[in-house]
Amino acid sequence: MIRLDAVEKRYQLGARPFTALQPTDLEVSAGEYLAITGPSGSGKSTLLNLIGLLDRPDAGQYCLDGQATENLQEEARAALRRRYIGFVFQAFHLVARLSAFENVELPLMLAGVPRRERRPRIEAVLARIGLSEVAEHRPGQLSGGQNQRVAIARAIVMNPRLLLADEPTGNLDQAAGAAVVELLEGLNRDGMTVLMVTHNPELAARCRRRIRLVDGCIVEDSPSWDRSTA
Ligand SMILES: Nc1ncnc2c1ncn2[C@@H]1O[C@H](COP(=O)(O)OP(=O)(O)OP(=O)(O)O)[C@@H](O)[C@H]1O
Ligand SMILES: [Mg+2]
């Protein structure tokens, strides 16, 4: 589903370029549940943003579901992103003046889903993550854990095949974090491919596959469950 060939990302820092991601090869199959770990500044978010088509590599090839992405115009990249990918950020990125319901509605509106089809889809996804009761609350009226679950609802309401989560439990206490992880695990059991950046070794240990980045290089790739049984 995901294939990176020598994908590289550089940032210009002052006069000299800084390589945030060294040329990297990575393959992820449909249905995998993968943790990306590594110290702060090792390139985890850089890698996830490239995979999520939020950013472009400076070199190398990235194929998503068999489609080469490097020559796509912005419009086509956005369309591919909307169709395939849900993205969950550490800091939720919800719209403060909109209710939970309306935040989850945004991707459906962007995709041009008619109003009468939107409501049942939003209600189903809010019910699934246990937030039906607070659908009319705004982010300021919800806890961190609830907000993160709203963010996940927004990421999955279009039914993406790929869910990318950057430190989804980073701002949460243990109980709220556990609820978020259970939600991600359930989505993966139902067939969604899930890639999660995490600092938390316990969370990483629950993933079937773990890759570890140090200084922009993958230094460890635990055997994938999919491949070890294939
Ligand atoms: N827009 C940018 N401009 C310049 N340098 C950047 C930019 N974004 C990231 N970097 C640098 O690239 C490196 C990798 O950053 P990245 O955000 O991928 O790390 P990370 O592993 O996600 O760290 P953390 O665990 O703290 O989130 C860091 O050294 C960072 O300072
Ligand atoms: Mg990061």
Side-chain angles (χ1 to χ4, degrees):
M1 172 177 225
I2 291 171
R3 190 191 161 106
L4 306 187
D5 285 300
V7 162
E8 186 176 350
K9 182 71 191 174
R10 293 182 290 263
Y11 291 112
Q12 198 69 35
L13 272 186
R16 47 197 299 243
F18 167 81
T19 304
L21 190 69
Q22 303 285 343
T24 294
D25 300 334
L26 179 68
E27 256 184 84
V28 181
S29 310
E32 282 201 75
Y33 183 30
L34 177 130
I36 301 171
T37 68
S40 186
S42 59
K44 304 181 297 295
S45 297
T46 300
L47 176 60
L48 206 68
N49 291 345
L50 290 169
I51 292 172
L53 298 172
L54 296 174
D55 216 345
R56 286 174 181 274
D58 294 299
Q61 277 94 46
Y62 171 28
C63 254
L64 177 62
D65 207 38
Q67 178 161 11
T69 61
E70 46 286 344
N71 296 322
L72 295 177
Q73 299 297 314
E74 207 36 61
E75 189 58 28
R77 283 165 62 85
L80 195 60
R81 190 160 63 222
R82 276 202 296 276
R83 191 147 41 94
Y84 277 101
I85 302 173
F87 208 102
V88 179
F89 300 89
Q90 175 170 4
F92 319 144
H93 288 245
L94 296 170
V95 181
R97 66 189 160 74
L98 298 182
S99 68
F101 184 98
E102 290 163 336
N103 267 285
V104 177
E105 190 171 27
L106 284 175
L108 296 167
M109 290 173 79
L110 275 174
V113 176
R115 179 183 289 270
R116 65 180 180 287
E117 285 174 37
R118 295 201 297 258
R119 176 163 287 275
R121 285 174 69 171
I122 299 162
E123 283 172 353
V125 82
L126 286 174
R128 157 153 210 183
I129 63 167
L131 290 180
S132 303
E133 318 277 86
V134 295
E136 298 311 321
H137 291 219
R138 288 192 299 275
Q141 303 166 318
L142 295 170
S143 71
Q146 287 172 325
N147 276 322
Q148 191 56 301
R149 284 186 285 147
V150 174
I152 293 173
R154 184 184 54 183
I156 64 173
V157 71
M158 291 293 292
N159 226 349
R161 289 170 53 195
L162 175 61
L163 184 64
L164 304 176
D166 197 347
E167 296 271 4
T169 65
N171 279 324
L172 305 180
D173 66 31
Q174 205 178 355
V180 162
V181 168
E182 266 162 42
L183 186 57
L184 296 178
E185 288 174 357
L187 292 167
N188 176 252
R189 272 196 301 278
D190 292 347
M192 208 174 274
T193 308
V194 178
L195 270 65
M196 171 175 66
V197 169
T198 180
H199 270 115
N200 183 325
E202 277 165 46
L203 290 191
R206 291 172 67 146
C207 293
R208 286 201 296 263
R209 180 179 173 196
R210 291 171 296 283
I211 66 171
R212 180 171 163 78
L213 282 169
V214 174
D215 293 337
C217 291
I218 296 179
V219 295
E220 237 179 274
D221 187 347
S222 73
S224 147
W225 176 86
D226 281 322
R227 272 174 235 154
S228 59
T229 56

